[in-house]
């Protein structure tokens, strides 16, 4: 019975070691998502207020 728990623990540690490096990208993706939403909404508001796209 104990060998099942050992195998389960080793398998979970292996999965954590394989998947953990990709968790570092989550904050970066969150910042990019917020920046993209801000850019999209600010463009829509600018078109509604000024009537044309920004030429910058």
């Amino acid at each position: 019975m104990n060998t099942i728990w050992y195998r389960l623990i080793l398998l979970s540690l292996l999965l954590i070691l394989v998947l953990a490096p990709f968790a570092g990208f989550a904050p970066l993706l969150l910042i990019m998502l917020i920046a993209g939403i801000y850019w999209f909404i600010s463009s829509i508001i600018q078109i509604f207020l000024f009537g044309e796209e920004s030429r910058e």
Side-chain angles (χ1 to χ4, degrees):
M1 186 68 180
N2 286 339
T3 58
I4 293 173
W5 288 109
Y6 292 136
R7 287 182 184 173
L8 186 63
I9 290 171
L10 287 175
L11 181 63
S12 63
L13 285 174
L14 177 65
L15 284 174
I16 288 172
L17 288 174
V18 168
L19 297 176
F22 297 107
F25 290 119
L28 177 63
L29 290 175
L30 183 62
I31 290 170
M32 289 176 60
L33 176 68
I34 292 170
I37 291 171
Y38 172 75
W39 180 43
F40 177 74
I41 291 176
S42 66
S43 297
I44 298 282
I45 290 173
Q46 187 173 8
I47 290 171
F48 282 140
L49 292 178
F50 299 111
E52 64 182 37
E53 261 187 87
S54 174
R55 302 289 180 203
E56 295 178 30

